[in-house]
Amino acid sequence: MNRRHCATAAITLVCALALLTSTGQATAAPVPEPSPSASAGSPPRYSNAGLEEVREQIDTLYRKAGAATDAYNLAEEQTKKQSGEIVKLAKAIVDGQARIAALKDRAGAQAREQYRNGGLPPGAQLALSNDPKLFLDGLNKVRQSQQASKSLLADLTQTQQDLETYTQDASTNWEKLETIRVKQAKAKKKINAQIKAAEKLESRLKKKERDRLRQLERDAADKAQTAWLSSGAVKDVSGEASEGGAAAVAFATAQIGKPYVWGAEGPGSYDCSGLTSQAWLAAKRPIPRTSQEQWRLLPRIDIQDMRPGDLIIYHADASHVGMYVGDGAIVHSPRPGRNVTLAGAGSMKILGVVRPDK
């Protein structure tokens, strides 16, 4: 019964991991006032200045969603790790209880044998013999019996202590898992709220205004890229891709055209760090899942030393990442509503560069 109960408990722990998501909403960013020429009941018409303000607000919302996505992805990775530990501990508990049962059976068998022999082990009876050979054999058996009893008792004690430790660790890990689950739910709520607010802003635009908005996005990216190139930041960048870097670039560029989906890591869609982590996994070099962890844990290099396959981390909070492919360009998965694409490496604010295979 104990083993069945523990096995059931282990399965329950694993199944409980499915309850790691929740939804929520938050207030959207203030919407710029439309032009007075907008007719009642129709989508508002924005001036160029107003549309630029919309673009900046949408960009800010998606960057906040990107940061929340990183938090969600990190919590998801921690959840997988923690749940794996819980499963291991649950198995250890089941195995430990089975071992204790077996040791108790052995101890019981020894006790029953002594009872049948009048309370004396077989070796003790031989030690009372007048036959010298039987006497010596009896002494050896007594010693062996004593050593076996001590070993059995020590084994039983240690197994019980281990079982207590496993149980305490499982409880602690379950509490950690619950804490991570809460963080993950909050991150998901924030992601959905930011994306919903951005989509609401964009939905108020007419088709021509949306086209102008896309052009404003391209203009802003081109302006930043031109300024970056003009600064001489990549003047001496001429490194050739390593074997792993070339494989990672080949994988990443093969995903061009696939949609951004937050939390996705392929094969049909990707978020920014899902793309880079899967690309390097394809190159047989596992790296951290999130852009923030990639920035924190991977070796950093100077921009002048970049080579294809290196990862460029963006924004002060390291909430976005792209893969350098050479000629001042990256491949990346930009944001919701966009697809994996090539872009100027300097089109966003660069935090730094990391090299997975350094």
Side-chain angles (χ1 to χ4, degrees):
M1 287 298 290
N2 286 337
R3 295 183 65 184
R4 187 180 302 112
H5 175 75
C6 291
T8 303
I11 295 172
T12 302
L13 290 173
V14 177
C15 292
L17 302 177
L19 304 176
L20 294 173
T21 56
S22 64
T23 58
Q25 299 178 349
T27 304
V31 180
E33 291 296 324
S35 168
S37 63
S39 60
S42 66
R45 295 176 180 175
Y46 295 93
S47 64
N48 286 338
L51 200 57
E52 175 61 23
E53 187 179 348
V54 171
R55 185 197 70 77
E56 291 176 355
Q57 288 193 13
I58 288 175
D59 184 61
T60 298
L61 287 167
Y62 279 127
R63 282 204 290 111
K64 288 181 178 179
T69 298
D70 233 32
Y72 178 90
N73 289 337
L74 179 59
E76 184 176 43
E77 287 298 293
Q78 291 173 335
T79 293
K80 290 177 182 177
K81 181 179 179 180
Q82 208 67 53
S83 62
E85 290 298 318
I86 290 174
V87 170
K88 290 179 183 178
L89 287 168
K91 184 179 183 302
I93 289 172
V94 172
D95 292 344
Q97 289 187 329
R99 181 164 178 75
I100 286 175
L103 291 171
K104 286 182 175 179
D105 285 345
R106 284 174 54 192
Q110 286 184 359
R112 288 192 296 272
E113 184 178 6
Q114 288 186 11
Y115 177 78
R116 286 194 299 269
N117 292 321
L120 293 175
Q125 293 179 342
L126 291 173
L128 297 176
S129 172
N130 292 326
D131 186 324
K133 186 175 183 304
L134 291 177
F135 176 78
L136 293 175
D137 288 344
L139 287 179
N140 287 331
K141 288 185 178 181
V142 168
R143 292 192 188 98
Q144 292 173 0
S145 178
Q146 290 174 338
Q147 290 175 350
S149 297
K150 288 180 180 179
S151 177
L152 177 61
L153 181 60
D155 201 357
L156 181 59
T157 301
Q158 184 61 54
T159 303
Q160 289 175 328
Q161 291 175 349
D162 289 345
L163 188 58
E164 290 176 4
T165 300
Y166 295 150
T167 303
Q168 292 172 357
D169 288 348
S171 177
T172 299
N173 284 4
W174 182 256
E175 290 175 0
K176 289 180 181 178
L177 183 62
E178 284 297 292
T179 299
I180 295 170
R181 185 195 67 80
V182 171
K183 290 181 180 179
Q184 192 174 22
K186 288 181 178 178
K188 182 177 182 180
K189 181 178 179 180
K190 187 173 182 179
I191 294 165
N192 288 334
Q194 302 290 359
I195 292 176
K196 184 176 180 181
E199 290 174 342
K200 184 177 180 180
L201 280 174
E202 196 163 354
S203 70
R204 297 184 62 177
L205 304 176
K206 288 185 175 181
K207 183 181 183 304
K208 288 185 177 180
E209 290 173 328
R210 287 196 295 271
D211 291 341
R212 284 167 54 207
L213 183 68
R214 290 295 295 270
Q215 186 59 52
L216 286 173
E217 290 177 358
R218 289 191 288 269
D219 290 346
D222 290 345
K223 182 178 179 181
Q225 175 72 355
T226 299
W228 184 64
L229 293 175
S230 299
S231 71
V234 290
K235 180 180 179 182
D236 298 322
V237 175
S238 58
E240 294 185 1
S242 64
E243 182 179 352
V249 168
F251 178 94
T253 52
Q255 312 313 309
I256 289 175
K258 294 183 179 180
Y260 176 105
V261 174
W262 67 264
E265 46 190 337
S269 57
Y270 298 87
D271 63 19
C272 65
S273 57
L275 176 65
T276 55
S277 61
Q278 287 300 305
W280 273 100
L281 184 62
K284 304 193 185 312
R285 185 83 176 198
I287 63 174
R289 168 64 175 86
T290 71
S291 59
Q292 291 176 344
E293 290 295 281
Q294 289 168 6
W295 173 245
R296 187 173 72 88
L297 298 175
L298 295 178
R300 300 178 186 182
I301 62 170
D302 292 333
I303 289 179
Q304 291 81 3
D305 297 327
M306 272 194 314
R307 67 189 187 195
D310 290 341
L311 306 182
I312 302 181
I313 310 297
Y314 294 95
H315 310 309
D317 59 358
S319 58
H320 190 70
V321 59
M323 179 178 292
Y324 186 65
V325 296
D327 297 325
I330 59 167
V331 58
H332 73 142
S333 187
R335 65 167 176 81
R338 302 289 185 265
N339 299 329
V340 176
T341 187
L342 292 173
S347 59
M348 297 167 283
K349 187 172 180 57
I350 295 175
L351 178 61
V353 183
V354 295
R355 176 167 293 166
D357 59 346
K358 183 176 180 179

